Amino acid sequence: MGFSKLKIPKICEQCGKAFEAKTVVTRFCSSTCANKSGKEKKKQAKEAEQKQTLLEQSAEKIAEMQTRPYISITEATILFGISKDTIRRLIKAGKVPAVNFGLRLTRVSRVHLEEMYSTIEIPEEPKEKPIKLHYEIDECYTVTEISVKYGVSPSTVENVIRRNSLPKRQVGNYVYVPKEPIDKIFARK
Ligand SMILES: [Zn+2]
């Protein structure tokens, strides 16, 4: 009888530190790390669940979020698929403007996040495909023209193009996008 002399070199799954485990199933260097890991898993599961619930509350809610300049941190996790911690870090670093109305009432700038991350696709009813597939250059804007005309950044324009799967044509250094759908989209905004 007595203590096991077994020492198994391992890497702590929580802090990444090398340590000597006493059993083959030991995963953490300390009880602190084991507790932390459990808590983080719970937190992640909770966030994933919240996200799923909100997604299930239909596309309408997401579309509504996309009309608001400021959204909650939970909403931002859904819209941009990033974690709460990431958002809090961005706010702390002053990379994203936020307004704090009180405990758990932080509202973060959707527009700024949109420039950093692309939003998730809104599931839409399958629509009829546009008949017109080829556009002449004079029927198109360049990204810069759209950005100037509607007072949005080029990256926002590119997001809009991507999100709406608009046809684009690259000629030299310029990307051309048909005027017609662009005008429709920005008229709605
Ligand atoms: Zn550890």
Side-chain angles (χ1 to χ4, degrees), residues 3-181:
F3 288 109
S4 159
K5 294 273 161 59
L6 206 57
K7 275 184 179 169
I8 308 141
K10 284 214 168 196
I11 301 288
C12 173
E13 286 179 27
Q14 176 61 27
C15 70
K17 214 168 68 184
F19 71 103
E20 286 181 333
K22 290 193 181 71
T23 79
V24 285
V25 294
T26 309
R27 293 166 55 206
F28 307 103
C29 70
S30 60
S31 56
T32 313
C33 276
N35 281 336
K36 233 189 196 171
S37 168
K39 270 185 203 150
E40 255 164 45
K41 267 211 192 98
K42 253 187 214 161
K43 199 171 138 197
Q44 277 167 9
K46 201 180 151 203
E47 283 193 17
E49 200 185 296
Q50 282 179 341
K51 199 165 147 180
Q52 196 50 39
T53 313
L54 255 141
L55 274 177
E56 278 163 9
Q57 283 166 3
S58 88
E60 244 170 73
K61 184 140 194 175
I62 292 164
E64 188 271 321
M65 276 183 225
Q66 288 176 335
T67 65
R68 269 184 282 135
Y70 280 83
I71 54 176
S72 76
I73 289 179
T74 305
E75 287 170 337
T77 66
I78 292 146
L79 216 48
F80 300 101
I82 50 179
S83 73
K84 287 185 178 180
D85 286 341
T86 303
I87 297 161
R88 290 196 187 102
R89 228 176 290 134
L90 289 170
I91 295 171
K92 216 172 167 187
K95 296 215 169 113
V96 179
V99 189
N100 195 353
F101 295 110
L103 192 67
R104 288 174 199 278
L105 281 171
T106 301
R107 293 293 177 270
V108 58
S109 166
R110 179 184 56 81
V111 186
H112 282 78
L113 283 171
E114 205 164 277
E115 285 179 6
M116 285 185 245
Y117 302 94
S118 52
T119 47
I120 61 155
E121 303 287 328
I122 303 176
E124 267 182 50
E125 300 278 314
K127 274 188 207 143
E128 279 174 50
K129 287 242 183 264
I131 307 136
K132 206 169 160 88
L133 284 168
H134 184 80
Y135 290 87
E136 297 303 327
I137 293 298
D138 63 4
E139 295 174 293
C140 295
Y141 292 126
T142 63
V143 170
T144 312
E145 282 172 338
I146 301 163
S147 145
V148 169
K149 181 167 182 183
Y150 291 103
V152 291
S153 71
S155 63
T156 303
V157 174
E158 269 150 23
N159 273 338
V160 167
I161 295 168
R162 195 165 3 100
R163 233 187 300 145
N164 293 279
S165 317
L166 298 182
K168 28 177 209 181
R169 248 177 97 186
Q170 174 117 26
V171 181
N173 287 326
Y174 297 98
V175 173
Y176 291 90
V177 192
K179 287 177 180 175
E180 196 195 318

